[in-house]
Amino acid sequence: MSAPTANMRAVLERLAQEDAGLGDPTLMPPQHARALAELTNQRWNAELPEVAEARTVMHAGMPARWVVPANDTGTEAILHVHGGGWALCSPMTHEAASRRIAEACACPVLTVDYRLAPEHPYPAGLDDILRAWKALEPGRRWSIGGDSAGANLSLAAMLRLIDEGAELPACGLLFYGVYGADFDSDSYISNAEGPGLTRAKMMRYWDWYVSEPKRDAPAVAPLAASDAQLAGLPPLYLNAAELDPLLSDTEALVARLRALGRDDAYDLIAGVVHGFMQMGSALPEARDAFTRAGEVFRRIAAP
């Protein structure tokens, strides 16, 4: 396994000091785990990028954040699905991320507060994302994207829309996503103890989200999708973190897309851990990843 970059190592050392004694959120009652996630993510929102507009709205019956960058081109928009193991986080934990996406992609970003597991297991969160998608106002070309479990829900939503014959996003932005439940993959083994996300934590997130017998459905584990479903997806941008139990998920998805003759852009970010894009205020690699996503977005979202 490669070592963290110098920047990543400095952030990990900081987190080890700041989070000493806080415990594992997947071993807490869900409400305590969520409160902890809200509090610890405040550090990444300490220096928010400036935007032209940032306000709380209601969308499809859900609280949401609407962010408009100063460089908005007036043509595109993104439905942003925050990560957090289907169980944690919110539009507020991902405020800085949504602003960086908006700035990099030169378009507004809408982040909805979908229902969370284990109180609301599959398909509640996915149903909320689909409801949010179908309630979007026309006038812009809409894309969809998210990180980790948010990437899972974004891809699952696109697969469901394909099955329904519904209008698809212009493109999908999928950051270090979870696409299957193979806990014996190369990256689950090599990064089993982190740093950061561990194999055991990810297994508990899965247990909160959906029972094992249901994990072979494409809307749960998109790697189970048929070739026809994957071929029907809009253009995608994918990235993955090298020091991440979920790396093999993205590698497997990219391999299947390549086998279908697709050329979706994919970047492996060396020496960083799962969730690194949340750390944009402290990690240059995170800021570079947003910049790269925006470059690809502006190319593949065009009609």
Side-chain angles (χ1 to χ4, degrees), residues 71-76 106-108 139-140:
N71 60 347
D72 177 22
T73 62
T75 57
E76 312 294 332
C107 71
R140 289 178 182 260

Side-chain angles (χ1 to χ4, degrees), residues 2 40 51-52 70 103 117 133 153 162 181 206 226 282:
S2 300
T40 55
V51 292
E103 182 180 45
W133 173 260
L153 291 169
I162 288 171
W206 270 105
S226 68

Side-chain angles (χ1 to χ4, degrees), residues 47-83:
E47 300 175 9
L48 290 173
E50 292 290 332
V51 292
E53 181 182 1
R55 59 190 174 95
T56 300
V57 300
M58 292 297 294
H59 178 77
M62 292 173 279
R65 287 290 285 175
W66 173 250
V67 173
V68 182
N71 60 347
D72 177 22
T73 62
T75 57
E76 312 294 332
I78 299 171
L79 177 62
H80 176 221
V81 188
H82 70 77

Side-chain angles (χ1 to χ4, degrees), residues 116-298:
L116 299 173
E119 298 93 333
H120 302 286
Y122 170 84
L126 178 58
D127 288 346
D128 286 353
I129 298 306
L130 285 163
R131 189 169 78 252
W133 173 260
K134 294 173 182 179
L136 295 170
E137 295 183 1
R140 289 178 182 260
R141 285 188 298 270
W142 282 89
S143 295
I144 193 170
D147 63 306
S148 190
N152 169 282
L153 291 169
S154 297
L155 183 51
M158 287 186 275
L159 293 172
R160 283 268 295 266
L161 292 170
I162 288 171
D163 290 345
E164 295 172 6
E167 182 178 356
L168 294 175
C171 75
L173 301 175
L174 307 177
F175 307 139
Y176 42 83
V178 47
Y179 307 122
D182 178 8
F183 305 120
D184 294 318
S185 69
D186 289 347
S187 62
Y188 263 113
I189 298 304
S190 61
N191 299 298
E193 299 305 320
L197 182 65
T198 67
R199 181 175 184 265
K201 288 178 183 177
M202 199 65 226
M203 293 173 76
R204 288 191 284 270
Y205 282 129
W206 270 105
D207 288 342
W208 277 1
Y209 183 53
V210 64
S211 62
E212 191 168 343
K214 298 180 181 179
R215 294 178 189 171
D216 59 354
V220 174
L223 281 170
S226 68
D227 285 351
Q229 287 174 307
L230 294 180
L233 289 167
L236 304 176
Y237 170 67
L238 308 97
N239 74 15
E242 184 183 22
L243 309 180
D244 184 353
L246 300 182
L247 169 60
S248 293
D249 282 27
T250 298
E251 290 181 330
L253 178 58
V254 170
R256 288 200 59 194
L257 294 169
R258 295 282 189 269
L260 294 170
R262 294 177 56 112
D263 61 351
D264 301 281
Y266 165 56
D267 289 317
L268 172 60
I269 315 301
V272 298
V273 304
H274 184 83
F276 77 99
M277 290 175 76
Q278 276 292 95
M279 308 168 186
S281 62
L283 189 65
E285 288 86 345
R287 298 191 292 274
D288 291 345
F290 284 111
T291 299
R292 167 63 175 163
E295 292 170 350
V296 178
F297 173 82
R298 292 193 297 275

Side-chain angles (χ1 to χ4, degrees), residues 89-107:
C89 296
S90 69
M92 294 312 299
T93 62
H94 281 60
E95 175 80 8
S98 67
R99 291 183 180 215
R100 288 192 169 90
I101 292 170
E103 182 180 45
C105 296
C107 71

